[in-house]
Amino acid sequence: MNKVTKLTMFSFSLLLCVIAAGCFVIGTITQPSTIPAMQQFTSTVVVSVEGQTDATPHYGIVGLKVPNDFTIDSVWMTGGYAGAYTFLHPDSSDREPGGQVDFWTDSLEARYPSGANMKWVVYQSNTSYLTIVDTLNVNLMVKMRAGSTLGTYQIGYFVSDAALDFTDPTYYSTSLNNSLQVVAQVPVELTSFTALQTKNGVQLNWETATETNNNRFEIERSSDNKNFVVTGTLSGKGTTTQVTKYSYTDKVNAGKYYYRLKQIDFNGSFEYSKTIEVDFSVPQDFVLSQNYPNPFNPSTTLSFGLPVQSNVTFAVYNAAGELVKTISQGTLQAGTHTFSFDASNLTTGIYFYNLSAQGIDGSEFSKTAKMLLLK
């Protein structure tokens, strides 16, 4: 139904309400156009409530036409008709407040058939409403969860003041064709998983492009690539389509290690990432490695190896020999040390990085390497 048609119906219904006094009229509806399978969402229906001329208590009625495998978690209103709503069981006349039960589901199904793949479910306000003199706009809120069956569905909404009269359109309002597409779940899409050797141990970095129902990551380590143990846990982001970056540092001694991620959903299902290898062994000599990538923009990885515990100065200089940044200064243990250098605030050009080290055994080492920043 297009916007013009909705506005015309709304105006016509409102006129009838003024004449017959006492009705609910659906105005605007806000719901997603697409939703991943099994994901929860909330629909908001703006309802105009016209004042009643009689003093008889009225119960608000809400009907929802949804796919068979959808779950309705809660229904409530905010505003002049505020309060929670209780599910009206279609097979028992004494399960809901206010009485009058089987009528609603049967009558909705007869007048607005849901079809084989859809169903009508009905809710009734927990409290009755007395005479309301002024017209109000209230929000009907429906929190529901999509099922597992993919496809496009026309979600239906029905509201009434429980007048039990389908012959008079001033007593109720419907909006039956609100398109909603249920699509496949967005996976936990792991776009990168890397390991860096730092002075504090092995730093693991990974990134996700999307996540669905992601409870947590368990970081697993192995020394033989067969037997893994959990060395740490990081919470996931639940469901998101935003890029998310994670980092975890595992403090280990020198050696060769294998790492993998175990991604666990809220329902307990899980998947493993690829396994990556890190050689954290002690080099035989002092080593200053070429940065990677090179050329780079804006960051690059710098690393060096120490055969013994050493007092180190590791710094970056520009082409004029001026100090740009001291990356590390102090005592470092024997092993391979890796650092990330960010040149976001620097201009294109050639830069040099220098390692000066004095080992506890009296050995000395100094070497400079060149790198190119291209922006």
Side-chain angles (χ1 to χ4, degrees):
M1 185 180 296
N2 61 39
K3 185 176 181 181
V4 174
T5 303
K6 282 188 175 181
L7 289 175
T8 302
M9 287 188 63
F10 179 77
S11 300
F12 178 67
S13 298
L14 195 58
L15 177 62
L16 289 176
C17 286
V18 173
I19 297 173
C23 66
F24 287 4
V25 177
I26 292 176
T28 60
I29 295 175
T30 303
Q31 70 174 34
S33 58
T34 61
I35 194 75
M38 309 304 294
Q39 183 169 313
Q40 188 182 69
F41 66 97
T42 299
S43 290
T44 302
V45 182
V46 177
V47 180
S48 176
V49 181
E50 180 68 25
Q52 302 162 355
T53 57
D54 61 84
T56 303
H58 289 260
Y59 285 85
I61 293 291
V62 171
L64 303 168
K65 187 184 71 169
V66 296
N68 290 331
D69 59 356
F70 270 41
T71 302
I72 309 298
D73 296 321
S74 56
V75 177
W76 72 100
M77 273 193 177
T78 61
Y81 270 52
Y85 279 62
T86 300
F87 172 63
L88 295 187
H89 196 284
D91 301 322
S92 175
S93 61
D94 58 0
R95 293 193 181 186
E96 63 289 322
Q100 296 130 356
V101 283
D102 299 336
F103 172 88
W104 286 110
T105 304
D106 293 343
S107 298
L108 277 170
E109 190 63 53
R111 185 166 291 265
Y112 306 107
S114 60
N117 300 321
M118 305 284 283
K119 63 183 177 182
W120 276 104
V121 289
V122 181
Y123 289 78
Q124 178 174 284
S125 58
N126 287 346
T127 57
S128 62
Y129 302 101
L130 299 176
T131 301
I132 296 179
V133 177
D134 297 323
T135 300
L136 303 171
N137 278 337
V138 299
N139 290 324
L140 167 63
M141 316 293 290
V142 181
K143 183 177 289 186
M144 64 184 97
R145 187 178 301 276
S148 59
T149 306
L150 308 186
T152 300
Y153 302 94
Q154 300 301 323
I155 306 300
Y157 300 90
F158 167 93
V159 293
S160 173
D161 67 349
L164 295 178
D165 188 352
F166 272 97
T167 64
D168 189 340
T170 65
Y171 290 129
Y172 70 90
S173 181
T174 60
S175 179
L176 303 175
N177 298 306
N178 302 280
S179 183
L180 174 65
Q181 183 180 19
V182 179
V183 298
Q185 282 194 3
V186 180
V188 176
E189 184 181 354
L190 188 68
T191 55
S192 66
F193 179 36
T194 60
L196 295 174
Q197 300 171 49
T198 70
K199 63 181 180 180
N200 296 319
V202 176
Q203 180 178 309
L204 302 170
N205 300 300
W206 64 98
E207 181 178 292
T208 61
T210 59
E211 299 182 20
T212 297
N213 298 323
N214 183 19
N215 183 13
R216 67 187 186 276
F217 290 99
E218 290 184 352
I219 300 94
E220 297 188 354
R221 180 185 67 221
S222 172
S223 58
D224 59 6
N225 202 19
K226 295 180 181 179
N227 302 298
F228 285 84
V229 296
V230 177
T231 184
T233 301
L234 287 182
S235 297
K237 297 299 182 180
T239 298
T240 179
T241 56
Q242 301 295 317
V243 173
T244 306
K245 296 182 179 181
Y246 297 88
S247 183
Y248 176 83
T249 299
D250 188 25
K251 297 181 179 180
V252 291
N253 297 319
K256 181 181 288 186
Y257 300 98
Y258 302 87
Y259 290 93
R260 69 185 184 187
L261 300 174
K262 184 179 181 181
Q263 181 272 314
I264 304 174
D265 290 343
F266 286 106
N267 63 7
S269 61
F270 61 87
E271 290 186 1
Y272 285 106
S273 71
K274 66 177 182 179
T275 300
I276 57 175
E277 177 183 334
V278 180
D279 190 352
F280 202 57
S281 57
V282 176
Q284 298 298 310
D285 301 297
F286 289 99
V287 177
L288 178 63
S289 302
Q290 183 63 51
N291 68 298
Y292 180 82
N294 188 45
F296 67 97
N297 178 31
S299 60
T300 189
T301 298
L302 306 173
S303 63
F304 58 82
L306 305 174
V308 295
Q309 179 180 314
S310 304
N311 186 31
V312 168
T313 298
F314 189 43
V316 175
Y317 301 85
N318 61 22
E322 300 169 329
L323 178 65
V324 172
K325 183 177 182 180
T326 299
I327 295 177
S328 180
Q329 189 169 36
T331 300
L332 295 179
Q333 298 298 317
T336 301
H337 301 271
T338 303
F339 303 88
S340 180
F341 175 64
D342 188 346
S344 298
N345 60 339
L346 300 178
T347 58
T348 295
I350 295 175
Y351 294 85
F352 299 89
Y353 55 101
N354 172 264
L355 171 65
S356 296
Q358 183 172 8
I360 59 173
D361 61 356
S363 58
E364 294 184 353
F365 178 83
S366 181
K367 185 176 179 180
T368 300
K370 179 172 64 177
M371 58 184 175
L372 177 62
L373 171 62
L374 283 180
K375 291 188 173 181

